[in-house]
Short mmCIF file of all heavy atoms in Angstrom, two decimals:
data_model
loop_
_atom_site.label_atom_id
_atom_site.label_comp_id
_atom_site.label_asym_id
_atom_site.label_seq_id
_atom_site.Cartn_x
_atom_site.Cartn_y
_atom_site.Cartn_z
N ARG A 73 -0.20 -20.11 8.99
CA ARG A 73 -0.03 -19.04 8.02
C ARG A 73 -1.38 -18.39 7.79
O ARG A 73 -2.42 -18.97 8.13
CB ARG A 73 0.55 -19.57 6.72
CG ARG A 73 -0.38 -20.53 5.97
CD ARG A 73 0.34 -21.19 4.79
NE ARG A 73 -0.53 -22.10 4.08
CZ ARG A 73 -0.84 -23.33 4.46
NH1 ARG A 73 -0.35 -23.81 5.60
NH2 ARG A 73 -1.63 -24.09 3.75
N LYS A 74 -1.37 -17.22 7.21
CA LYS A 74 -2.60 -16.48 6.96
C LYS A 74 -3.42 -17.19 5.89
O LYS A 74 -2.90 -17.59 4.86
CB LYS A 74 -2.25 -15.06 6.49
CG LYS A 74 -3.43 -14.18 6.21
CD LYS A 74 -3.00 -12.77 5.86
CE LYS A 74 -2.42 -12.63 4.50
NZ LYS A 74 -3.35 -12.81 3.39
N GLY A 75 -4.70 -17.33 6.16
CA GLY A 75 -5.60 -17.90 5.17
C GLY A 75 -6.01 -16.86 4.14
O GLY A 75 -5.77 -15.67 4.30
N LEU A 76 -6.62 -17.31 3.07
CA LEU A 76 -7.03 -16.41 1.99
C LEU A 76 -8.54 -16.43 1.79
O LEU A 76 -9.03 -16.79 0.73
CB LEU A 76 -6.31 -16.79 0.69
CG LEU A 76 -4.81 -16.64 0.72
CD1 LEU A 76 -4.18 -17.20 -0.56
CD2 LEU A 76 -4.41 -15.19 0.91
N PHE A 77 -9.28 -16.08 2.81
CA PHE A 77 -10.72 -15.97 2.66
C PHE A 77 -11.08 -14.50 2.49
O PHE A 77 -10.26 -13.62 2.70
CB PHE A 77 -11.45 -16.57 3.86
CG PHE A 77 -11.12 -15.92 5.17
CD1 PHE A 77 -11.81 -14.81 5.60
CD2 PHE A 77 -10.12 -16.43 5.97
CE1 PHE A 77 -11.50 -14.20 6.81
CE2 PHE A 77 -9.82 -15.83 7.18
CZ PHE A 77 -10.51 -14.72 7.60
N TYR A 78 -12.29 -14.25 2.08
CA TYR A 78 -12.71 -12.88 1.88
C TYR A 78 -14.21 -12.75 2.10
O TYR A 78 -14.93 -13.74 2.24
CB TYR A 78 -12.32 -12.38 0.48
CG TYR A 78 -13.02 -13.12 -0.64
CD1 TYR A 78 -14.18 -12.61 -1.20
CD2 TYR A 78 -12.52 -14.32 -1.14
CE1 TYR A 78 -14.83 -13.29 -2.22
CE2 TYR A 78 -13.16 -15.00 -2.15
CZ TYR A 78 -14.31 -14.47 -2.70
OH TYR A 78 -14.95 -15.14 -3.69
N TYR A 79 -14.65 -11.52 2.13
CA TYR A 79 -16.07 -11.21 2.28
C TYR A 79 -16.60 -10.70 0.96
O TYR A 79 -15.90 -10.03 0.21
CB TYR A 79 -16.27 -10.15 3.35
CG TYR A 79 -15.82 -10.59 4.72
CD1 TYR A 79 -14.55 -10.25 5.19
CD2 TYR A 79 -16.64 -11.35 5.53
CE1 TYR A 79 -14.12 -10.65 6.44
CE2 TYR A 79 -16.21 -11.76 6.78
CZ TYR A 79 -14.97 -11.40 7.23
OH TYR A 79 -14.54 -11.81 8.46
N HIS A 80 -17.84 -11.02 0.68
CA HIS A 80 -18.50 -10.51 -0.51
C HIS A 80 -19.70 -9.69 -0.03
O HIS A 80 -20.61 -10.22 0.60
CB HIS A 80 -18.98 -11.67 -1.40
CG HIS A 80 -19.76 -11.22 -2.57
ND1 HIS A 80 -19.18 -10.63 -3.67
CD2 HIS A 80 -21.08 -11.26 -2.82
CE1 HIS A 80 -20.11 -10.33 -4.54
NE2 HIS A 80 -21.28 -10.70 -4.05
N ASP A 81 -19.65 -8.39 -0.28
CA ASP A 81 -20.73 -7.50 0.15
C ASP A 81 -21.74 -7.31 -0.97
O ASP A 81 -21.36 -7.15 -2.14
CB ASP A 81 -20.18 -6.13 0.56
CG ASP A 81 -19.36 -6.20 1.81
OD1 ASP A 81 -19.71 -7.01 2.69
OD2 ASP A 81 -18.37 -5.46 1.93
N VAL A 82 -22.99 -7.33 -0.60
CA VAL A 82 -24.09 -7.09 -1.54
C VAL A 82 -24.94 -5.97 -0.95
O VAL A 82 -25.21 -5.93 0.25
CB VAL A 82 -24.96 -8.36 -1.71
CG1 VAL A 82 -26.15 -8.10 -2.60
CG2 VAL A 82 -24.11 -9.51 -2.24
N PHE A 83 -25.34 -5.03 -1.79
CA PHE A 83 -26.18 -3.91 -1.37
C PHE A 83 -27.53 -4.05 -2.06
O PHE A 83 -27.60 -4.08 -3.28
CB PHE A 83 -25.51 -2.58 -1.71
CG PHE A 83 -24.21 -2.39 -0.98
CD1 PHE A 83 -23.02 -2.83 -1.52
CD2 PHE A 83 -24.19 -1.79 0.26
CE1 PHE A 83 -21.82 -2.67 -0.84
CE2 PHE A 83 -23.02 -1.63 0.96
CZ PHE A 83 -21.83 -2.07 0.40
N ILE A 84 -28.58 -4.12 -1.26
CA ILE A 84 -29.93 -4.32 -1.78
C ILE A 84 -30.76 -3.08 -1.49
O ILE A 84 -30.78 -2.58 -0.36
CB ILE A 84 -30.57 -5.58 -1.16
CG1 ILE A 84 -29.72 -6.80 -1.53
CG2 ILE A 84 -32.01 -5.75 -1.60
CD1 ILE A 84 -30.15 -8.10 -0.90
N ALA A 85 -31.43 -2.62 -2.54
CA ALA A 85 -32.26 -1.41 -2.41
C ALA A 85 -33.32 -1.62 -1.33
O ALA A 85 -33.95 -2.67 -1.24
CB ALA A 85 -32.92 -1.07 -3.74
N ASP A 86 -33.47 -0.59 -0.49
CA ASP A 86 -34.43 -0.63 0.60
C ASP A 86 -35.08 0.75 0.69
O ASP A 86 -34.75 1.55 1.56
CB ASP A 86 -33.72 -0.98 1.91
CG ASP A 86 -34.69 -1.13 3.07
OD1 ASP A 86 -35.82 -1.59 2.85
OD2 ASP A 86 -34.30 -0.77 4.20
N GLY A 87 -35.95 1.02 -0.26
CA GLY A 87 -36.57 2.34 -0.31
C GLY A 87 -35.81 3.25 -1.26
O GLY A 87 -34.82 2.87 -1.89
N GLU A 88 -36.26 4.47 -1.33
CA GLU A 88 -35.65 5.44 -2.23
C GLU A 88 -34.31 5.92 -1.67
O GLU A 88 -34.23 6.42 -0.55
CB GLU A 88 -36.58 6.65 -2.40
CG GLU A 88 -36.13 7.58 -3.49
CD GLU A 88 -37.15 8.68 -3.75
OE1 GLU A 88 -38.36 8.39 -3.64
OE2 GLU A 88 -36.73 9.79 -4.03
N ASN A 89 -33.25 5.73 -2.44
CA ASN A 89 -31.90 6.13 -2.07
C ASN A 89 -31.38 5.46 -0.78
O ASN A 89 -30.53 6.02 -0.10
CB ASN A 89 -31.79 7.65 -1.92
CG ASN A 89 -32.09 8.36 -3.21
OD1 ASN A 89 -31.67 7.90 -4.27
ND2 ASN A 89 -32.81 9.46 -3.14
N MET A 90 -31.93 4.32 -0.45
CA MET A 90 -31.48 3.59 0.74
C MET A 90 -31.07 2.17 0.32
O MET A 90 -31.74 1.56 -0.51
CB MET A 90 -32.61 3.50 1.79
CG MET A 90 -33.07 4.83 2.33
SD MET A 90 -31.83 5.63 3.36
CE MET A 90 -31.79 4.53 4.74
N TYR A 91 -30.01 1.69 0.91
CA TYR A 91 -29.53 0.34 0.63
C TYR A 91 -29.14 -0.33 1.93
O TYR A 91 -28.61 0.31 2.83
CB TYR A 91 -28.32 0.38 -0.31
CG TYR A 91 -28.66 0.86 -1.69
CD1 TYR A 91 -28.71 2.21 -1.99
CD2 TYR A 91 -28.97 -0.05 -2.69
CE1 TYR A 91 -29.04 2.65 -3.26
CE2 TYR A 91 -29.31 0.37 -3.96
CZ TYR A 91 -29.34 1.72 -4.23
OH TYR A 91 -29.68 2.15 -5.48
N LYS A 92 -29.39 -1.62 2.00
CA LYS A 92 -28.92 -2.42 3.14
C LYS A 92 -27.76 -3.26 2.67
O LYS A 92 -27.76 -3.82 1.57
CB LYS A 92 -30.03 -3.33 3.65
CG LYS A 92 -31.08 -2.62 4.45
CD LYS A 92 -32.03 -3.59 5.11
CE LYS A 92 -33.04 -2.84 5.95
NZ LYS A 92 -33.99 -3.75 6.58
N GLN A 93 -26.75 -3.34 3.51
CA GLN A 93 -25.57 -4.12 3.19
C GLN A 93 -25.70 -5.51 3.80
O GLN A 93 -26.04 -5.67 4.96
CB GLN A 93 -24.33 -3.43 3.74
CG GLN A 93 -23.06 -4.21 3.49
CD GLN A 93 -21.84 -3.54 4.10
OE1 GLN A 93 -21.94 -2.46 4.68
NE2 GLN A 93 -20.71 -4.18 3.99
N TYR A 94 -25.41 -6.50 2.98
CA TYR A 94 -25.37 -7.88 3.43
C TYR A 94 -23.99 -8.44 3.10
O TYR A 94 -23.48 -8.24 2.00
CB TYR A 94 -26.46 -8.72 2.74
CG TYR A 94 -27.85 -8.26 3.09
CD1 TYR A 94 -28.50 -7.28 2.33
CD2 TYR A 94 -28.50 -8.77 4.20
CE1 TYR A 94 -29.77 -6.84 2.67
CE2 TYR A 94 -29.77 -8.34 4.54
CZ TYR A 94 -30.40 -7.38 3.78
OH TYR A 94 -31.65 -6.95 4.12
N THR A 95 -23.40 -9.12 4.05
CA THR A 95 -22.06 -9.65 3.86
C THR A 95 -22.10 -11.17 3.86
O THR A 95 -22.70 -11.78 4.73
CB THR A 95 -21.11 -9.15 4.97
OG1 THR A 95 -21.09 -7.73 4.93
CG2 THR A 95 -19.71 -9.68 4.78
N ASP A 96 -21.47 -11.73 2.86
CA ASP A 96 -21.39 -13.18 2.73
C ASP A 96 -19.92 -13.57 2.86
O ASP A 96 -19.06 -13.05 2.16
CB ASP A 96 -21.94 -13.60 1.37
CG ASP A 96 -22.02 -15.10 1.21
OD1 ASP A 96 -22.03 -15.82 2.23
OD2 ASP A 96 -22.10 -15.57 0.06
N PHE A 97 -19.62 -14.46 3.76
CA PHE A 97 -18.27 -14.93 4.02
C PHE A 97 -17.93 -16.00 3.00
O PHE A 97 -18.67 -16.96 2.84
CB PHE A 97 -18.22 -15.47 5.45
CG PHE A 97 -16.90 -15.99 5.87
CD1 PHE A 97 -15.83 -15.14 6.03
CD2 PHE A 97 -16.73 -17.34 6.13
CE1 PHE A 97 -14.60 -15.62 6.44
CE2 PHE A 97 -15.51 -17.81 6.54
CZ PHE A 97 -14.44 -16.96 6.70
N LYS A 98 -16.80 -15.86 2.30
CA LYS A 98 -16.41 -16.81 1.27
C LYS A 98 -15.16 -17.57 1.70
O LYS A 98 -14.05 -17.05 1.65
CB LYS A 98 -16.11 -16.08 -0.05
CG LYS A 98 -17.26 -15.27 -0.59
CD LYS A 98 -18.32 -16.18 -1.10
CE LYS A 98 -19.42 -15.36 -1.75
NZ LYS A 98 -20.53 -16.15 -2.20
N TYR A 99 -15.36 -18.78 2.18
CA TYR A 99 -14.22 -19.62 2.55
C TYR A 99 -14.69 -21.04 2.73
O TYR A 99 -15.74 -21.28 3.33
CB TYR A 99 -13.57 -19.13 3.84
CG TYR A 99 -12.32 -19.92 4.19
CD1 TYR A 99 -11.13 -19.67 3.54
CD2 TYR A 99 -12.36 -20.93 5.14
CE1 TYR A 99 -10.00 -20.39 3.84
CE2 TYR A 99 -11.22 -21.65 5.44
CZ TYR A 99 -10.04 -21.38 4.79
OH TYR A 99 -8.92 -22.10 5.07
N GLU A 100 -13.93 -21.97 2.22
CA GLU A 100 -14.22 -23.39 2.40
C GLU A 100 -13.28 -23.93 3.47
O GLU A 100 -12.06 -23.98 3.27
CB GLU A 100 -13.99 -24.15 1.09
CG GLU A 100 -14.89 -23.70 -0.04
CD GLU A 100 -16.07 -24.62 -0.23
OE1 GLU A 100 -16.03 -25.76 0.25
OE2 GLU A 100 -17.04 -24.16 -0.85
N LEU A 101 -13.83 -24.32 4.59
CA LEU A 101 -13.04 -24.90 5.67
C LEU A 101 -12.43 -26.22 5.19
O LEU A 101 -13.10 -27.02 4.55
CB LEU A 101 -13.94 -25.15 6.89
CG LEU A 101 -13.26 -25.46 8.20
CD1 LEU A 101 -12.39 -24.29 8.65
CD2 LEU A 101 -14.29 -25.76 9.27
N THR A 102 -11.12 -26.39 5.45
CA THR A 102 -10.44 -27.63 5.07
C THR A 102 -9.80 -28.25 6.30
O THR A 102 -9.87 -27.70 7.40
CB THR A 102 -9.34 -27.36 4.01
OG1 THR A 102 -8.28 -26.63 4.63
CG2 THR A 102 -9.90 -26.58 2.82
N ASP A 103 -9.14 -29.38 6.11
CA ASP A 103 -8.45 -30.08 7.20
C ASP A 103 -7.05 -29.53 7.45
O ASP A 103 -6.35 -30.02 8.34
CB ASP A 103 -8.35 -31.58 6.90
CG ASP A 103 -9.71 -32.26 6.91
OD1 ASP A 103 -10.63 -31.75 7.58
OD2 ASP A 103 -9.85 -33.30 6.25
N ASP A 104 -6.61 -28.55 6.67
CA ASP A 104 -5.26 -28.00 6.80
C ASP A 104 -5.18 -27.08 8.01
O ASP A 104 -5.54 -25.91 7.95
CB ASP A 104 -4.89 -27.24 5.53
CG ASP A 104 -3.45 -26.74 5.54
OD1 ASP A 104 -2.78 -26.83 6.60
OD2 ASP A 104 -3.00 -26.25 4.48
N LEU A 105 -4.71 -27.62 9.13
CA LEU A 105 -4.62 -26.85 10.37
C LEU A 105 -3.40 -25.92 10.38
O LEU A 105 -3.16 -25.24 11.37
CB LEU A 105 -4.59 -27.79 11.58
CG LEU A 105 -5.85 -28.63 11.76
CD1 LEU A 105 -5.70 -29.53 12.99
CD2 LEU A 105 -7.09 -27.78 11.86
N GLY A 106 -2.68 -25.85 9.27
CA GLY A 106 -1.59 -24.90 9.11
C GLY A 106 -2.10 -23.54 8.64
O GLY A 106 -1.33 -22.60 8.51
N ILE A 107 -3.39 -23.45 8.38
CA ILE A 107 -4.03 -22.18 7.99
C ILE A 107 -4.75 -21.64 9.21
O ILE A 107 -5.50 -22.37 9.88
CB ILE A 107 -5.00 -22.39 6.82
CG1 ILE A 107 -4.24 -22.87 5.58
CG2 ILE A 107 -5.77 -21.11 6.52
CD1 ILE A 107 -5.12 -23.25 4.41
N ASP A 108 -4.55 -20.36 9.51
CA ASP A 108 -5.07 -19.78 10.74
C ASP A 108 -6.57 -20.01 10.95
O ASP A 108 -6.99 -20.44 12.01
CB ASP A 108 -4.71 -18.29 10.85
CG ASP A 108 -5.17 -17.44 9.68
OD1 ASP A 108 -5.82 -17.94 8.74
OD2 ASP A 108 -4.84 -16.24 9.70
N TYR A 109 -7.38 -19.74 9.94
CA TYR A 109 -8.82 -19.86 10.11
C TYR A 109 -9.23 -21.32 10.38
O TYR A 109 -10.06 -21.58 11.25
CB TYR A 109 -9.56 -19.32 8.88
CG TYR A 109 -11.04 -19.26 9.09
CD1 TYR A 109 -11.59 -18.24 9.87
CD2 TYR A 109 -11.89 -20.21 8.56
CE1 TYR A 109 -12.96 -18.18 10.10
CE2 TYR A 109 -13.25 -20.15 8.78
CZ TYR A 109 -13.78 -19.14 9.55
OH TYR A 109 -15.12 -19.10 9.78
N ASN A 110 -8.64 -22.27 9.66
CA ASN A 110 -8.96 -23.68 9.89
C ASN A 110 -8.60 -24.09 11.31
O ASN A 110 -9.36 -24.81 11.97
CB ASN A 110 -8.20 -24.57 8.91
CG ASN A 110 -8.66 -24.41 7.49
OD1 ASN A 110 -9.73 -23.90 7.21
ND2 ASN A 110 -7.82 -24.83 6.56
N ALA A 111 -7.44 -23.64 11.79
CA ALA A 111 -7.01 -23.98 13.14
C ALA A 111 -7.99 -23.44 14.18
O ALA A 111 -8.42 -24.17 15.09
CB ALA A 111 -5.60 -23.45 13.40
N VAL A 112 -8.34 -22.17 14.06
CA VAL A 112 -9.25 -21.55 15.03
C VAL A 112 -10.63 -22.19 14.99
O VAL A 112 -11.23 -22.46 16.02
CB VAL A 112 -9.33 -20.03 14.80
CG1 VAL A 112 -10.40 -19.39 15.67
CG2 VAL A 112 -7.98 -19.38 15.08
N MET A 113 -11.14 -22.46 13.79
CA MET A 113 -12.46 -23.08 13.67
C MET A 113 -12.45 -24.53 14.17
O MET A 113 -13.49 -25.10 14.45
CB MET A 113 -12.96 -23.03 12.23
CG MET A 113 -13.33 -21.63 11.76
SD MET A 113 -14.74 -20.93 12.68
CE MET A 113 -13.94 -19.76 13.73
N SER A 114 -11.25 -25.09 14.31
CA SER A 114 -11.11 -26.44 14.87
C SER A 114 -10.69 -26.38 16.33
O SER A 114 -10.19 -27.36 16.89
CB SER A 114 -10.08 -27.24 14.05
OG SER A 114 -10.52 -27.38 12.72
N ASP A 115 -10.84 -25.21 16.95
CA ASP A 115 -10.60 -24.99 18.39
C ASP A 115 -9.13 -25.03 18.79
O ASP A 115 -8.80 -25.41 19.92
CB ASP A 115 -11.41 -25.96 19.25
CG ASP A 115 -12.90 -25.74 19.12
OD1 ASP A 115 -13.31 -24.57 18.94
OD2 ASP A 115 -13.65 -26.72 19.18
N PHE A 116 -8.24 -24.62 17.89
CA PHE A 116 -6.83 -24.47 18.24
C PHE A 116 -6.48 -22.98 18.29
O PHE A 116 -7.00 -22.19 17.51
CB PHE A 116 -5.92 -25.15 17.21
CG PHE A 116 -5.93 -26.64 17.30
CD1 PHE A 116 -6.81 -27.38 16.51
CD2 PHE A 116 -5.08 -27.31 18.16
CE1 PHE A 116 -6.83 -28.76 16.57
CE2 PHE A 116 -5.10 -28.69 18.23
CZ PHE A 116 -5.97 -29.42 17.44
N ILE A 117 -5.59 -22.63 19.19
CA ILE A 117 -5.02 -21.29 19.19
C ILE A 117 -4.10 -21.21 17.97
O ILE A 117 -3.30 -22.11 17.74
CB ILE A 117 -4.22 -21.02 20.48
CG1 ILE A 117 -5.15 -21.02 21.70
CG2 ILE A 117 -3.45 -19.70 20.38
CD1 ILE A 117 -4.43 -21.01 23.03
N SER A 118 -4.24 -20.15 17.20
CA SER A 118 -3.45 -19.96 15.99
C SER A 118 -2.39 -18.90 16.25
O SER A 118 -2.70 -17.80 16.69
CB SER A 118 -4.38 -19.51 14.86
OG SER A 118 -3.64 -18.97 13.79
#
Side-chain angles (χ1 to χ4, degrees):
R73 65 189 180 281
K74 181 176 74 69
L76 296 173
F77 60 87
Y78 64 95
Y79 298 96
H80 176 74
D81 292 325
V82 176
F83 297 90
I84 299 175
D86 184 34
E88 190 173 325
N89 298 320
M90 297 291 293
Y91 292 85
K92 285 189 178 178
Q93 178 182 358
Y94 296 90
T95 301
D96 186 20
F97 180 68
K98 301 289 185 184
Y99 184 78
E100 298 261 341
L101 193 63
T102 69
D103 293 335
D104 185 351
L105 297 180
I107 297 174
D108 56 2
Y109 188 77
N110 292 342
V112 172
M113 289 296 105
S114 298
D115 295 326
F116 287 93
I117 295 170
S118 164

